Amino acid sequence: MRRHMILATAMSAVALMTIAGCSSRADAPDAKGAGGFAKDSLIGVSLPSKTSENWVLAGGLFEKGLKKAGFTGDVQYAGASAPVKDQQDQISAMVTKGAKVIIIGPADGGQLGTQVKAAHDSGAIVIAYDRLILNTADVDYVVNYDPEKVGELQGQALLDGLDAKKKAGPQYIELFSGSPDDANAAVFFNSAMKVLKPRIDDGSIVVGSGQTAIKQTATTGWKAETAQSRMDTILTSTYADKPLDGVLSPNDSLARAIITSVKGAGKPIPVVTGLDSEAESVKSIMAGEQYATVNKDTRALVTKAIGMATSLAAGEKPELNNTRLYDNGVKVVPAYLLVPVIVTKANAAKVYADDPLLAPLTK
Ligand code: BGC
């Protein structure tokens, strides 16, 4: 009996040690940052290639913001020709240089497993920025604008724009989605489709080309020229004898490419959605061409990511507000999600009032 008790006690001690051991492992978010690190430590920021204005803005803001917070920043972009390889190499170099936190906007969310594991093995904390890193336990946090909300706003803006036309009979639309290697793309598209589906089902909205599956709508690499040529093809095959009333576009650079295509075909501009508040799209919205964009203020997202690093340096757990959405295939990554805002000509001046780049465009 006594022997059993000793054995049981020894076994629970082993179990406790195992649990204690586990809690310091990389996949236990609570333990991350517990020790803190020096305030002037190296913080790596690895961004994808500059496919849209938000990434261009983010790099500059990270440089300035990290410096202001007292950190040593190392901000890198992937090039256009081999973004995945570039980013893998850059993250490995950041690990070698001893970065304490590595903030990553993945070029391809599924191709960084080896590098983030090396980062973790070296003791660094990994934060996914704007896009999720997939299929790895070695990502600690994600900071983003709520991508479900982004898609819902895009779907609703398309409906609102179509309804404002008060057209009798079915309205014809086309659907575009982002790059399949970006985890945001499917969330944006599926969330927008949830909003559009009842109207597609009741026949008041018709996808003229019949291309409603995400694979058919995808835009690899978020390349504007790819979206433009797909729109060209669809216009020729489907819209010779009917109007195109609306287009679901997942971001601004694709929206403008779609508008260019429609203009080139000599057709009236349909209701086109977007994302990112790119300056050219804000101008287009004010000129009555692009219908809407979604504002994901890059300043706030960068501030939040740097704030996470600051908390971690102080040995504190960063503020999080979502532990549901971001299942990356291996774990649910704890997240801080900011709230995106829809922008049309009607509210642009108000939304951009405190943005020195965009406010003048709305006057
Ligand atoms: C970002 C968008 C951006 C797109 C293309 C997405 O992951 O959330 O803001 O437009 O990538 O760069």
Side-chain angles (χ1 to χ4, degrees):
M1 173 71 178
R2 208 179 126 74
R3 271 184 56 138
H4 277 149
M5 275 182 66
I6 291 170
L7 197 63
T9 313
M11 275 173 67
S12 19
V14 169
L16 272 174
M17 277 166 64
T18 312
I19 292 165
C22 268
S23 71
S24 68
R25 269 181 37 205
D27 59 357
D30 283 352
K32 279 286 161 185
F37 49 84
K39 201 59 201 301
D40 60 353
S41 297
L42 184 72
I43 309 293
V45 180
S46 175
L47 298 172
S49 41
K50 299 175 180 176
T51 46
S52 49
E53 219 167 85
N54 58 316
W55 300 115
V56 181
L57 289 171
L61 291 166
F62 270 119
E63 296 269 6
K64 271 195 223 133
L66 286 169
K67 201 166 175 195
K68 198 165 165 219
F71 294 116
T72 307
D74 178 10
V75 181
Q76 305 280 343
Y77 281 100
S81 57
V84 175
K85 169 87 172 52
D86 285 355
Q87 189 163 45
Q88 290 171 337
D89 292 348
Q90 285 160 1
I91 296 169
S92 300
M94 287 167 186
V95 172
T96 307
K97 285 186 253 177
K100 295 291 184 204
V101 175
I102 306 186
I103 298 168
I104 304 171
D108 180 333
Q111 301 290 328
L112 295 175
T114 308
Q115 291 70 31
V116 295
K117 179 167 190 318
H120 254 182
D121 290 349
S122 78
I125 296 153
V126 175
I127 301 175
Y129 170 87
D130 193 307
R131 298 173 173 173
L132 187 57
I133 302 172
L134 299 169
N135 301 324
T136 170
D138 296 303
V139 51
D140 299 289
Y141 305 110
V142 55
V143 54
N144 197 4
Y145 279 87
D146 183 338
E148 284 183 336
K149 187 80 190 149
V150 167
E152 285 165 15
L153 291 174
Q154 291 174 328
Q156 190 56 49
L158 183 54
L159 288 187
D160 292 348
L162 291 172
D163 288 347
K165 286 188 170 185
K166 296 199 173 22
K167 188 190 156 207
Q171 288 184 299
Y172 293 97
I173 66 163
E174 291 301 328
L175 308 168
F176 285 73
S177 58
S179 191
D181 55 14
D182 174 354
N184 285 337
V187 185
F188 293 165
F189 185 76
N190 294 334
S191 307
M193 286 304 275
K194 260 190 212 150
V195 177
L196 297 174
K197 194 164 180 298
R199 297 280 297 272
I200 295 175
D201 288 350
D202 73 15
S204 59
I205 287 180
V206 174
V207 180
S209 66
Q211 297 179 12
T212 54
I214 189 163
K215 266 197 181 152
Q216 297 171 299
T217 63
T219 315
T220 301
W222 289 92
K223 290 210 165 90
E225 59 269 31
T226 304
Q228 190 168 332
S229 74
R230 177 167 174 257
M231 190 74 256
D232 288 346
T233 307
I234 293 176
L235 285 168
T236 311
S237 65
T238 311
Y239 290 94
D241 56 359
K242 52 175 174 296
L244 172 63
D245 297 301
V247 180
L248 176 75
S249 165
N251 82 354
D252 284 348
S253 56
L254 303 195
R256 295 195 307 279
I258 289 160
I259 291 171
T260 303
S261 167
V262 177
K263 278 182 173 172
K267 292 202 156 266
I269 298 173
V271 175
V272 183
T273 61
L275 166 69
D276 289 339
S277 297
E278 294 201 346
E280 287 309 312
S281 282
V282 173
K283 285 186 205 162
S284 174
I285 289 170
M286 297 317 289
E289 295 201 333
Q290 186 173 325
Y291 178 72
T293 185
V294 173
N295 193 36
K296 296 188 337 183
D297 191 332
T298 304
R299 297 171 300 174
L301 197 60
V302 169
T303 301
K304 191 69 214 169
I306 296 175
M308 279 188 168
T310 304
S311 302
L312 292 163
E316 290 159 10
K317 196 178 157 195
E319 187 191 0
L320 303 165
N321 65 4
N322 186 293
T323 47
R324 166 193 69 84
L325 183 64
Y326 274 118
D327 187 334
N328 79 346
V330 171
K331 67 189 267 194
V332 178
V333 184
Y336 191 91
L337 299 182
L338 288 87
V339 182
V341 175
I342 193 72
V343 186
T344 62
K345 193 171 177 179
N347 69 347
K350 204 169 156 213
V351 175
Y352 302 133
D354 78 333
D355 189 318
L357 291 176
L358 301 179
L361 306 179
T362 63
K363 303 256 148 57

mmCIF file of all heavy atoms in Angstrom, residues 179-227:
data_model
loop_
_atom_site.group_PDB
_atom_site.id
_atom_site.type_symbol
_atom_site.label_atom_id
_atom_site.label_comp_id
_atom_site.label_asym_id
_atom_site.label_seq_id
_atom_site.Cartn_x
_atom_site.Cartn_y
_atom_site.Cartn_z
ATOM 1 N N SER A 179 -4.811 35.726 -53.166
ATOM 2 C CA SER A 179 -3.861 34.656 -53.468
ATOM 3 C C SER A 179 -4.083 33.436 -52.570
ATOM 4 O O SER A 179 -4.205 33.577 -51.351
ATOM 5 C CB SER A 179 -2.441 35.182 -53.266
ATOM 6 O OG SER A 179 -1.522 34.264 -53.784
ATOM 7 N N PRO A 180 -4.121 32.242 -53.160
ATOM 8 C CA PRO A 180 -4.376 31.033 -52.367
ATOM 9 C C PRO A 180 -3.316 30.762 -51.289
ATOM 10 O O PRO A 180 -3.582 30.053 -50.332
ATOM 11 C CB PRO A 180 -4.344 29.908 -53.405
ATOM 12 C CG PRO A 180 -4.539 30.564 -54.721
ATOM 13 C CD PRO A 180 -4.023 31.955 -54.601
ATOM 14 N N ASP A 181 -2.099 31.336 -51.430
ATOM 15 C CA ASP A 181 -1.078 31.112 -50.395
ATOM 16 C C ASP A 181 -1.193 32.094 -49.235
ATOM 17 O O ASP A 181 -0.377 32.083 -48.316
ATOM 18 C CB ASP A 181 0.331 31.162 -51.010
ATOM 19 C CG ASP A 181 0.591 32.451 -51.769
ATOM 20 O OD1 ASP A 181 -0.191 33.412 -51.604
ATOM 21 O OD2 ASP A 181 1.571 32.495 -52.540
ATOM 22 N N ASP A 182 -2.214 32.953 -49.259
ATOM 23 C CA ASP A 182 -2.447 33.928 -48.194
ATOM 24 C C ASP A 182 -3.698 33.485 -47.442
ATOM 25 O O ASP A 182 -4.792 33.447 -48.019
ATOM 26 C CB ASP A 182 -2.636 35.312 -48.829
ATOM 27 C CG ASP A 182 -3.032 36.389 -47.820
ATOM 28 O OD1 ASP A 182 -3.280 36.057 -46.642
ATOM 29 O OD2 ASP A 182 -3.096 37.557 -48.222
ATOM 30 N N ALA A 183 -3.524 33.171 -46.159
ATOM 31 C CA ALA A 183 -4.644 32.653 -45.364
ATOM 32 C C ALA A 183 -5.819 33.632 -45.310
ATOM 33 O O ALA A 183 -6.967 33.227 -45.110
ATOM 34 C CB ALA A 183 -4.171 32.315 -43.953
ATOM 35 N N ASN A 184 -5.559 34.912 -45.483
ATOM 36 C CA ASN A 184 -6.652 35.890 -45.459
ATOM 37 C C ASN A 184 -7.622 35.689 -46.624
ATOM 38 O O ASN A 184 -8.811 35.970 -46.499
ATOM 39 C CB ASN A 184 -6.107 37.322 -45.596
ATOM 40 C CG ASN A 184 -5.465 37.823 -44.331
ATOM 41 O OD1 ASN A 184 -5.754 37.334 -43.242
ATOM 42 N ND2 ASN A 184 -4.580 38.805 -44.467
ATOM 43 N N ALA A 185 -7.075 35.254 -47.762
ATOM 44 C CA ALA A 185 -7.863 35.277 -48.994
ATOM 45 C C ALA A 185 -9.152 34.461 -48.865
ATOM 46 O O ALA A 185 -10.232 34.931 -49.241
ATOM 47 C CB ALA A 185 -7.021 34.778 -50.164
ATOM 48 N N ALA A 186 -9.044 33.254 -48.315
ATOM 49 C CA ALA A 186 -10.240 32.405 -48.195
ATOM 50 C C ALA A 186 -11.209 32.975 -47.165
ATOM 51 O O ALA A 186 -12.430 32.908 -47.353
ATOM 52 C CB ALA A 186 -9.832 30.987 -47.809
ATOM 53 N N VAL A 187 -10.673 33.542 -46.093
ATOM 54 C CA VAL A 187 -11.567 34.104 -45.065
ATOM 55 C C VAL A 187 -12.331 35.302 -45.633
ATOM 56 O O VAL A 187 -13.547 35.420 -45.450
ATOM 57 C CB VAL A 187 -10.786 34.500 -43.786
ATOM 58 C CG1 VAL A 187 -11.737 34.971 -42.697
ATOM 59 C CG2 VAL A 187 -9.927 33.358 -43.286
ATOM 60 N N PHE A 188 -11.606 36.176 -46.348
ATOM 61 C CA PHE A 188 -12.286 37.328 -46.976
ATOM 62 C C PHE A 188 -13.412 36.818 -47.893
ATOM 63 O O PHE A 188 -14.555 37.266 -47.814
ATOM 64 C CB PHE A 188 -11.325 38.143 -47.858
ATOM 65 C CG PHE A 188 -10.214 38.887 -47.146
ATOM 66 C CD1 PHE A 188 -9.123 39.387 -47.878
ATOM 67 C CD2 PHE A 188 -10.238 39.122 -45.781
ATOM 68 C CE1 PHE A 188 -8.094 40.090 -47.263
ATOM 69 C CE2 PHE A 188 -9.202 39.824 -45.157
ATOM 70 C CZ PHE A 188 -8.126 40.307 -45.908
ATOM 71 N N PHE A 189 -13.060 35.886 -48.773
ATOM 72 C CA PHE A 189 -14.008 35.425 -49.801
ATOM 73 C C PHE A 189 -15.206 34.706 -49.171
ATOM 74 O O PHE A 189 -16.358 35.014 -49.482
ATOM 75 C CB PHE A 189 -13.277 34.501 -50.782
ATOM 76 C CG PHE A 189 -14.129 34.058 -51.937
ATOM 77 C CD1 PHE A 189 -14.400 34.919 -52.987
ATOM 78 C CD2 PHE A 189 -14.658 32.771 -51.990
ATOM 79 C CE1 PHE A 189 -15.187 34.523 -54.076
ATOM 80 C CE2 PHE A 189 -15.445 32.370 -53.066
ATOM 81 C CZ PHE A 189 -15.712 33.243 -54.108
ATOM 82 N N ASN A 190 -14.916 33.759 -48.283
ATOM 83 C CA ASN A 190 -16.025 32.988 -47.700
ATOM 84 C C ASN A 190 -16.953 33.875 -46.879
ATOM 85 O O ASN A 190 -18.169 33.669 -46.867
ATOM 86 C CB ASN A 190 -15.483 31.837 -46.846
ATOM 87 C CG ASN A 190 -14.759 30.807 -47.703
ATOM 88 O OD1 ASN A 190 -15.038 30.666 -48.892
ATOM 89 N ND2 ASN A 190 -13.807 30.093 -47.098
ATOM 90 N N SER A 191 -16.386 34.859 -46.198
ATOM 91 C CA SER A 191 -17.226 35.747 -45.381
ATOM 92 C C SER A 191 -18.071 36.650 -46.278
ATOM 93 O O SER A 191 -19.235 36.924 -45.966
ATOM 94 C CB SER A 191 -16.359 36.590 -44.437
ATOM 95 O OG SER A 191 -15.511 35.753 -43.680
ATOM 96 N N ALA A 192 -17.497 37.101 -47.387
ATOM 97 C CA ALA A 192 -18.287 37.916 -48.325
ATOM 98 C C ALA A 192 -19.401 37.068 -48.944
ATOM 99 O O ALA A 192 -20.541 37.515 -49.092
ATOM 100 C CB ALA A 192 -17.389 38.478 -49.422
ATOM 101 N N MET A 193 -19.076 35.819 -49.278
ATOM 102 C CA MET A 193 -20.054 34.937 -49.914
ATOM 103 C C MET A 193 -21.233 34.623 -48.996
ATOM 104 O O MET A 193 -22.356 34.435 -49.467
ATOM 105 C CB MET A 193 -19.384 33.650 -50.390
ATOM 106 C CG MET A 193 -18.534 33.833 -51.634
ATOM 107 S SD MET A 193 -19.448 34.548 -53.021
ATOM 108 C CE MET A 193 -20.192 33.093 -53.719
ATOM 109 N N LYS A 194 -20.965 34.576 -47.683
ATOM 110 C CA LYS A 194 -22.069 34.347 -46.730
ATOM 111 C C LYS A 194 -23.105 35.454 -46.865
ATOM 112 O O LYS A 194 -24.300 35.219 -46.774
ATOM 113 C CB LYS A 194 -21.510 34.337 -45.294
ATOM 114 C CG LYS A 194 -21.335 32.946 -44.773
ATOM 115 C CD LYS A 194 -21.023 32.945 -43.293
ATOM 116 C CE LYS A 194 -20.123 31.752 -43.023
ATOM 117 N NZ LYS A 194 -19.212 31.975 -41.912
ATOM 118 N N VAL A 195 -22.620 36.676 -47.077
ATOM 119 C CA VAL A 195 -23.532 37.816 -47.206
ATOM 120 C C VAL A 195 -24.247 37.786 -48.570
ATOM 121 O O VAL A 195 -25.434 38.092 -48.667
ATOM 122 C CB VAL A 195 -22.742 39.145 -47.044
ATOM 123 C CG1 VAL A 195 -23.644 40.351 -47.244
ATOM 124 C CG2 VAL A 195 -22.050 39.198 -45.685
ATOM 125 N N LEU A 196 -23.520 37.381 -49.610
ATOM 126 C CA LEU A 196 -24.102 37.419 -50.968
ATOM 127 C C LEU A 196 -25.015 36.230 -51.261
ATOM 128 O O LEU A 196 -25.917 36.315 -52.094
ATOM 129 C CB LEU A 196 -22.976 37.436 -52.017
ATOM 130 C CG LEU A 196 -22.035 38.651 -51.985
ATOM 131 C CD1 LEU A 196 -20.893 38.470 -52.982
ATOM 132 C CD2 LEU A 196 -22.808 39.937 -52.295
ATOM 133 N N LYS A 197 -24.770 35.111 -50.586
ATOM 134 C CA LYS A 197 -25.415 33.851 -50.948
ATOM 135 C C LYS A 197 -26.953 33.907 -51.000
ATOM 136 O O LYS A 197 -27.539 33.432 -51.982
ATOM 137 C CB LYS A 197 -24.948 32.729 -50.009
ATOM 138 C CG LYS A 197 -25.307 31.357 -50.530
ATOM 139 C CD LYS A 197 -24.553 30.249 -49.843
ATOM 140 C CE LYS A 197 -24.973 28.914 -50.407
ATOM 141 N NZ LYS A 197 -26.405 28.592 -50.196
ATOM 142 N N PRO A 198 -27.606 34.489 -49.976
ATOM 143 C CA PRO A 198 -29.077 34.498 -50.057
ATOM 144 C C PRO A 198 -29.590 35.165 -51.333
ATOM 145 O O PRO A 198 -30.581 34.725 -51.913
ATOM 146 C CB PRO A 198 -29.493 35.305 -48.810
ATOM 147 C CG PRO A 198 -28.316 35.278 -47.894
ATOM 148 C CD PRO A 198 -27.088 35.078 -48.735
ATOM 149 N N ARG A 199 -28.884 36.196 -51.791
ATOM 150 C CA ARG A 199 -29.327 36.916 -52.987
ATOM 151 C C ARG A 199 -28.973 36.141 -54.257
ATOM 152 O O ARG A 199 -29.658 36.266 -55.274
ATOM 153 C CB ARG A 199 -28.707 38.314 -53.013
ATOM 154 C CG ARG A 199 -29.160 39.180 -51.825
ATOM 155 C CD ARG A 199 -30.547 39.762 -52.063
ATOM 156 N NE ARG A 199 -30.511 40.641 -53.212
ATOM 157 C CZ ARG A 199 -30.204 41.937 -53.144
ATOM 158 N NH1 ARG A 199 -29.953 42.497 -51.971
ATOM 159 N NH2 ARG A 199 -30.181 42.679 -54.231
ATOM 160 N N ILE A 200 -27.888 35.378 -54.195
ATOM 161 C CA ILE A 200 -27.568 34.523 -55.350
ATOM 162 C C ILE A 200 -28.597 33.384 -55.396
ATOM 163 O O ILE A 200 -29.134 33.044 -56.452
ATOM 164 C CB ILE A 200 -26.121 33.985 -55.250
ATOM 165 C CG1 ILE A 200 -25.118 35.156 -55.338
ATOM 166 C CG2 ILE A 200 -25.836 32.946 -56.351
ATOM 167 C CD1 ILE A 200 -23.656 34.786 -55.129
ATOM 168 N N ASP A 201 -28.908 32.841 -54.211
ATOM 169 C CA ASP A 201 -29.878 31.739 -54.139
ATOM 170 C C ASP A 201 -31.272 32.158 -54.600
ATOM 171 O O ASP A 201 -31.985 31.372 -55.225
ATOM 172 C CB ASP A 201 -29.958 31.189 -52.703
ATOM 173 C CG ASP A 201 -28.705 30.402 -52.330
ATOM 174 O OD1 ASP A 201 -27.880 30.124 -53.246
ATOM 175 O OD2 ASP A 201 -28.536 30.076 -51.137
ATOM 176 N N ASP A 202 -31.678 33.407 -54.280
ATOM 177 C CA ASP A 202 -33.050 33.794 -54.685
ATOM 178 C C ASP A 202 -33.091 34.333 -56.125
ATOM 179 O O ASP A 202 -34.138 34.762 -56.619
ATOM 180 C CB ASP A 202 -33.681 34.776 -53.680
ATOM 181 C CG ASP A 202 -33.104 36.202 -53.750
ATOM 182 O OD1 ASP A 202 -32.428 36.546 -54.733
ATOM 183 O OD2 ASP A 202 -33.342 36.971 -52.795
ATOM 184 N N GLY A 203 -31.930 34.360 -56.778
ATOM 185 C CA GLY A 203 -31.896 34.715 -58.200
ATOM 186 C C GLY A 203 -31.853 36.208 -58.477
ATOM 187 O O GLY A 203 -31.796 36.619 -59.639
ATOM 188 N N SER A 204 -31.886 37.042 -57.422
ATOM 189 C CA SER A 204 -31.859 38.488 -57.689
ATOM 190 C C SER A 204 -30.459 38.955 -58.083
ATOM 191 O O SER A 204 -30.285 40.022 -58.651
ATOM 192 C CB SER A 204 -32.386 39.278 -56.480
ATOM 193 O OG SER A 204 -31.605 39.008 -55.333
ATOM 194 N N ILE A 205 -29.455 38.121 -57.752
ATOM 195 C CA ILE A 205 -28.084 38.386 -58.197
ATOM 196 C C ILE A 205 -27.586 37.134 -58.911
ATOM 197 O O ILE A 205 -27.768 36.015 -58.430
ATOM 198 C CB ILE A 205 -27.181 38.721 -56.986
ATOM 199 C CG1 ILE A 205 -27.521 40.125 -56.472
ATOM 200 C CG2 ILE A 205 -25.711 38.644 -57.357
ATOM 201 C CD1 ILE A 205 -26.712 40.560 -55.284
ATOM 202 N N VAL A 206 -26.949 37.347 -60.068
ATOM 203 C CA VAL A 206 -26.464 36.210 -60.854
ATOM 204 C C VAL A 206 -24.972 36.403 -61.120
ATOM 205 O O VAL A 206 -24.552 37.483 -61.548
ATOM 206 C CB VAL A 206 -27.225 36.124 -62.203
ATOM 207 C CG1 VAL A 206 -26.637 35.030 -63.094
ATOM 208 C CG2 VAL A 206 -28.711 35.882 -61.955
ATOM 209 N N VAL A 207 -24.181 35.370 -60.839
ATOM 210 C CA VAL A 207 -22.766 35.422 -61.210
ATOM 211 C C VAL A 207 -22.703 34.997 -62.678
ATOM 212 O O VAL A 207 -22.824 33.811 -62.998
ATOM 213 C CB VAL A 207 -21.905 34.507 -60.298
ATOM 214 C CG1 VAL A 207 -20.431 34.579 -60.715
ATOM 215 C CG2 VAL A 207 -22.078 34.893 -58.835
ATOM 216 N N GLY A 208 -22.563 35.985 -63.565
ATOM 217 C CA GLY A 208 -22.723 35.759 -65.000
ATOM 218 C C GLY A 208 -21.850 34.643 -65.552
ATOM 219 O O GLY A 208 -22.305 33.812 -66.334
ATOM 220 N N SER A 209 -20.604 34.587 -65.126
ATOM 221 C CA SER A 209 -19.678 33.577 -65.659
ATOM 222 C C SER A 209 -19.922 32.207 -65.049
ATOM 223 O O SER A 209 -19.376 31.214 -65.514
ATOM 224 C CB SER A 209 -18.238 33.987 -65.330
ATOM 225 O OG SER A 209 -18.059 33.941 -63.912
ATOM 226 N N GLY A 210 -20.682 32.170 -63.952
ATOM 227 C CA GLY A 210 -20.889 30.908 -63.225
ATOM 228 C C GLY A 210 -19.692 30.536 -62.360
ATOM 229 O O GLY A 210 -19.673 29.491 -61.720
ATOM 230 N N GLN A 211 -18.664 31.399 -62.329
ATOM 231 C CA GLN A 211 -17.444 31.065 -61.565
ATOM 232 C C GLN A 211 -17.584 31.503 -60.110
ATOM 233 O O GLN A 211 -17.263 32.645 -59.762
ATOM 234 C CB GLN A 211 -16.224 31.710 -62.239
ATOM 235 C CG GLN A 211 -16.011 31.169 -63.640
ATOM 236 C CD GLN A 211 -14.824 31.796 -64.366
ATOM 237 O OE1 GLN A 211 -14.001 32.488 -63.777
ATOM 238 N NE2 GLN A 211 -14.726 31.551 -65.654
ATOM 239 N N THR A 212 -18.075 30.578 -59.291
ATOM 240 C CA THR A 212 -18.319 30.924 -57.889
ATOM 241 C C THR A 212 -17.395 30.179 -56.921
ATOM 242 O O THR A 212 -17.361 30.500 -55.741
ATOM 243 C CB THR A 212 -19.780 30.597 -57.494
ATOM 244 O OG1 THR A 212 -20.016 29.228 -57.828
ATOM 245 C CG2 THR A 212 -20.776 31.468 -58.229
ATOM 246 N N ALA A 213 -16.656 29.183 -57.419
ATOM 247 C CA ALA A 213 -15.753 28.439 -56.522
ATOM 248 C C ALA A 213 -14.489 29.260 -56.310
ATOM 249 O O ALA A 213 -13.996 29.905 -57.246
ATOM 250 C CB ALA A 213 -15.406 27.095 -57.151
ATOM 251 N N ILE A 214 -13.963 29.206 -55.096
ATOM 252 C CA ILE A 214 -12.811 30.053 -54.772
ATOM 253 C C ILE A 214 -11.634 29.795 -55.711
ATOM 254 O O ILE A 214 -10.916 30.724 -56.089
ATOM 255 C CB ILE A 214 -12.422 29.930 -53.274
ATOM 256 C CG1 ILE A 214 -11.375 30.994 -52.917
ATOM 257 C CG2 ILE A 214 -11.961 28.535 -52.920
ATOM 258 C CD1 ILE A 214 -11.206 31.239 -51.444
ATOM 259 N N LYS A 215 -11.468 28.555 -56.130
ATOM 260 C CA LYS A 215 -10.358 28.231 -57.051
ATOM 261 C C LYS A 215 -10.483 29.003 -58.362
ATOM 262 O O LYS A 215 -9.493 29.414 -58.952
ATOM 263 C CB LYS A 215 -10.382 26.737 -57.379
ATOM 264 C CG LYS A 215 -9.504 25.915 -56.483
ATOM 265 C CD LYS A 215 -9.259 24.544 -57.112
ATOM 266 C CE LYS A 215 -8.383 23.717 -56.189
ATOM 267 N NZ LYS A 215 -8.615 22.296 -56.341
ATOM 268 N N GLN A 216 -11.730 29.145 -58.814
ATOM 269 C CA GLN A 216 -11.940 29.836 -60.097
ATOM 270 C C GLN A 216 -11.727 31.340 -59.970
ATOM 271 O O GLN A 216 -11.417 32.016 -60.950
ATOM 272 C CB GLN A 216 -13.382 29.590 -60.585
ATOM 273 C CG GLN A 216 -13.686 28.138 -60.879
ATOM 274 C CD GLN A 216 -15.175 27.938 -61.147
ATOM 275 O OE1 GLN A 216 -16.028 28.202 -60.301
ATOM 276 N NE2 GLN A 216 -15.499 27.473 -62.341
ATOM 277 N N THR A 217 -11.909 31.840 -58.753
ATOM 278 C CA THR A 217 -11.860 33.297 -58.558
ATOM 279 C C THR A 217 -10.493 33.782 -58.095
ATOM 280 O O THR A 217 -10.253 34.983 -58.022
ATOM 281 C CB THR A 217 -12.893 33.720 -57.489
ATOM 282 O OG1 THR A 217 -12.518 33.107 -56.236
ATOM 283 C CG2 THR A 217 -14.297 33.284 -57.850
ATOM 284 N N ALA A 218 -9.578 32.851 -57.770
ATOM 285 C CA ALA A 218 -8.301 33.202 -57.123
ATOM 286 C C ALA A 218 -7.402 34.067 -57.992
ATOM 287 O O ALA A 218 -7.404 33.961 -59.219
ATOM 288 C CB ALA A 218 -7.575 31.920 -56.748
ATOM 289 N N THR A 219 -6.607 34.892 -57.332
ATOM 290 C CA THR A 219 -5.629 35.749 -58.017
ATOM 291 C C THR A 219 -4.256 35.451 -57.412
ATOM 292 O O THR A 219 -3.867 36.033 -56.388
ATOM 293 C CB THR A 219 -5.983 37.244 -57.815
ATOM 294 O OG1 THR A 219 -7.387 37.430 -58.033
ATOM 295 C CG2 THR A 219 -5.176 38.120 -58.762
ATOM 296 N N THR A 220 -3.534 34.542 -58.029
ATOM 297 C CA THR A 220 -2.253 34.102 -57.475
ATOM 298 C C THR A 220 -1.301 35.292 -57.310
ATOM 299 O O THR A 220 -1.155 36.102 -58.229
ATOM 300 C CB THR A 220 -1.630 33.029 -58.396
ATOM 301 O OG1 THR A 220 -2.561 31.952 -58.468
ATOM 302 C CG2 THR A 220 -0.305 32.513 -57.853
ATOM 303 N N GLY A 221 -0.689 35.366 -56.135
ATOM 304 C CA GLY A 221 0.271 36.446 -55.852
ATOM 305 C C GLY A 221 -0.383 37.818 -55.735
ATOM 306 O O GLY A 221 0.313 38.821 -55.709
ATOM 307 N N TRP A 222 -1.685 37.880 -55.668
ATOM 308 C CA TRP A 222 -2.421 39.152 -55.610
ATOM 309 C C TRP A 222 -1.985 40.051 -56.773
ATOM 310 O O TRP A 222 -1.879 41.285 -56.616
ATOM 311 C CB TRP A 222 -2.169 39.888 -54.293
ATOM 312 C CG TRP A 222 -2.781 39.285 -53.064
ATOM 313 C CD1 TRP A 222 -2.187 38.396 -52.219
ATOM 314 C CD2 TRP A 222 -4.078 39.563 -52.508
ATOM 315 N NE1 TRP A 222 -3.047 38.092 -51.172
ATOM 316 C CE2 TRP A 222 -4.204 38.800 -51.322
ATOM 317 C CE3 TRP A 222 -5.151 40.376 -52.897
ATOM 318 C CZ2 TRP A 222 -5.344 38.824 -50.531
ATOM 319 C CZ3 TRP A 222 -6.287 40.403 -52.087
ATOM 320 C CH2 TRP A 222 -6.374 39.634 -50.922
ATOM 321 N N LYS A 223 -1.721 39.474 -57.923
ATOM 322 C CA LYS A 223 -1.193 40.275 -59.041
ATOM 323 C C LYS A 223 -2.322 40.982 -59.797
ATOM 324 O O LYS A 223 -3.222 40.336 -60.335
ATOM 325 C CB LYS A 223 -0.404 39.380 -60.007
ATOM 326 C CG LYS A 223 0.905 38.881 -59.424
ATOM 327 C CD LYS A 223 1.933 38.667 -60.531
ATOM 328 C CE LYS A 223 3.332 38.521 -59.970
ATOM 329 N NZ LYS A 223 3.706 37.152 -59.650
ATOM 330 N N ALA A 224 -2.205 42.310 -59.887
ATOM 331 C CA ALA A 224 -3.241 43.111 -60.546
ATOM 332 C C ALA A 224 -3.406 42.695 -62.006
ATOM 333 O O ALA A 224 -4.529 42.596 -62.507
ATOM 334 C CB ALA A 224 -2.895 44.594 -60.442
ATOM 335 N N GLU A 225 -2.288 42.398 -62.666
ATOM 336 C CA GLU A 225 -2.397 42.052 -64.096
ATOM 337 C C GLU A 225 -3.155 40.736 -64.297
ATOM 338 O O GLU A 225 -3.830 40.549 -65.314
ATOM 339 C CB GLU A 225 -1.022 42.034 -64.784
ATOM 340 C CG GLU A 225 0.004 41.073 -64.225
ATOM 341 C CD GLU A 225 0.888 41.691 -63.125
ATOM 342 O OE1 GLU A 225 0.410 42.579 -62.384
ATOM 343 O OE2 GLU A 225 2.057 41.261 -62.997
ATOM 344 N N THR A 226 -3.066 39.839 -63.308
ATOM 345 C CA THR A 226 -3.795 38.563 -63.403
ATOM 346 C C THR A 226 -5.302 38.817 -63.309
ATOM 347 O O THR A 226 -6.099 38.244 -64.072
ATOM 348 C CB THR A 226 -3.343 37.612 -62.271
ATOM 349 O OG1 THR A 226 -1.931 37.469 -62.356
ATOM 350 C CG2 THR A 226 -4.007 36.263 -62.338
ATOM 351 N N ALA A 227 -5.675 39.698 -62.375
ATOM 352 C CA ALA A 227 -7.102 40.024 -62.221
ATOM 353 C C ALA A 227 -7.615 40.730 -63.470
ATOM 354 O O ALA A 227 -8.720 40.448 -63.957
ATOM 355 C CB ALA A 227 -7.306 40.903 -60.995
#
